[in-house]
Amino acid sequence: MHNAKAYAAASATAPLASTTIARRDPTANDVQVEILFCGICHSDLHQARDEWHDMMPTVYPCVPGHEIVGRVTKVGSAVTKFKAGDLAGVGCMVDSDRTCPECKAGFEQFCNNMILTYNFPDKHTGSVTYGGYSDSIVVDENFVLKVPANLNLAGAAPLLCAGITTYSPMRHWGVGKGKKVGVVGLGGLGHMGVKFAHALGAHTVLFTTSPNKKEDALRLGADEVVISKNADEMNKHMGSFDFILDAVAADHDLNAYINLLARDGNITLVGAPPTPFQIAAFPLIFRRRSFSGSLIGGIAETQEMLDFCGKHNITSDVEVIPIQKVNEAYERMLKSDVKYRFSIDMASLKG
Ligand SMILES: [Zn+2]
Ligand SMILES: [Zn+2]
């Protein structure tokens, strides 16, 4: 074991603060990564404040962070994919059983024994996993991604969660040329959804409640912007969408969007509103429409997404902050006061 610098929450109500954690020394299959940037995901805040207590109670100290980009500093003797000096990414998962049908099919994110990057039992240390608000991390090479060298690294970090979360359902539901695609909500997830839908060649429509987001949505790649509170604007698009990505985490009316789907159209949820939805049956039945959810993506697909981003020069729009501003960033994130993701410059942890 060795010590690593980190920022951790000591309790559900304590602000994150500087601390030292123990990381394992790399085993034969491990890659040790010096973390350069870590994005701030809304999950980090939920977990740090124990807001998912019923499902995943937080173990303290909690080191959040699962949008990690850095440089390899050390590799184990059996590692073949990476060498010291390579760029590397780590997302929401650091391990799985690799033997179940989900793992064999490349869906590690649905493995019953998947290990999340933080606040999950760590078989190596006997403690819990610690995430990317740290100067370094040690991860099995099978869960480390290659980051294209042409990408801005601060903006590349959020691809590891926000990026794959929006890319995966679009690939699954066949988003591409000739398709009409909607994205609901222009936040950390939604702005990536707009970028991917556009880059995949779809006619891209952004739905928002805020008229002042229109200009930005067009800049990010939307072909049209619909103010979702305006019934006339919504009605114009009735029955016309092949796919809608719903990235809103607050309670909202799904039926309004289901009515916009064409025959066999799908709406996929990637936000997680707290209250169960009320969904009318007939709009689904009459046009064989479907409603589904999606969770990040498998490791192979995450690599595919990063390669796609390298080819199309796609990164997240980020505001880079030093780690010392993380608590302030959490408060601003709660007010949606960020365009569109915070990315922590981990060099700030060294000072
Ligand atoms: Zn996340
Ligand atoms: Zn598995």
Side-chain angles (χ1 to χ4, degrees), residues 96-100 102-103 111-113:
S96 70
D97 59 29
R98 308 173 206 196
T99 54
C100 76
E102 299 293 358
C103 286
C111 173
N112 285 329
N113 300 304

Side-chain angles (χ1 to χ4, degrees), residues 194-209:
V194 168
K195 289 187 182 201
F196 282 133
H198 173 75
L200 288 163
H203 182 83
T204 305
V205 181
L206 185 271
F207 294 96
T208 177
T209 53

Side-chain angles (χ1 to χ4, degrees), residues 219-237:
R219 174 185 65 84
L220 293 165
D223 297 288
E224 294 179 65
V225 177
V226 171
I227 306 306
S228 54
K229 289 174 185 161
N230 184 326
D232 289 343
E233 276 193 53
M234 292 289 276
N235 284 336
K236 272 186 218 155
H237 293 271

Side-chain angles (χ1 to χ4, degrees), residues 112-183:
N112 285 329
N113 300 304
M114 175 253 288
I115 304 294
L116 291 176
T117 303
Y118 59 85
N119 197 57
F120 246 59
D122 186 334
K123 69 180 177 192
H124 299 274
T125 64
S127 175
V128 290
T129 52
Y130 295 128
Y133 296 5
S134 176
D135 60 4
S136 63
I137 192 167
V138 177
V139 179
D140 185 294
E141 72 163 326
N142 291 301
F143 286 78
V144 182
L145 288 308
K146 289 182 185 289
V147 176
N150 61 309
L151 294 180
N152 171 278
L153 293 183
L159 298 176
L160 277 304
C161 175
I164 187 61
T165 296
T166 48
Y167 179 86
S168 178
M170 289 200 184
R171 293 285 288 144
H172 179 75
W173 291 99
V175 168
K177 277 199 176 61
K179 301 287 174 144
K180 185 172 171 184
V181 170
V183 175

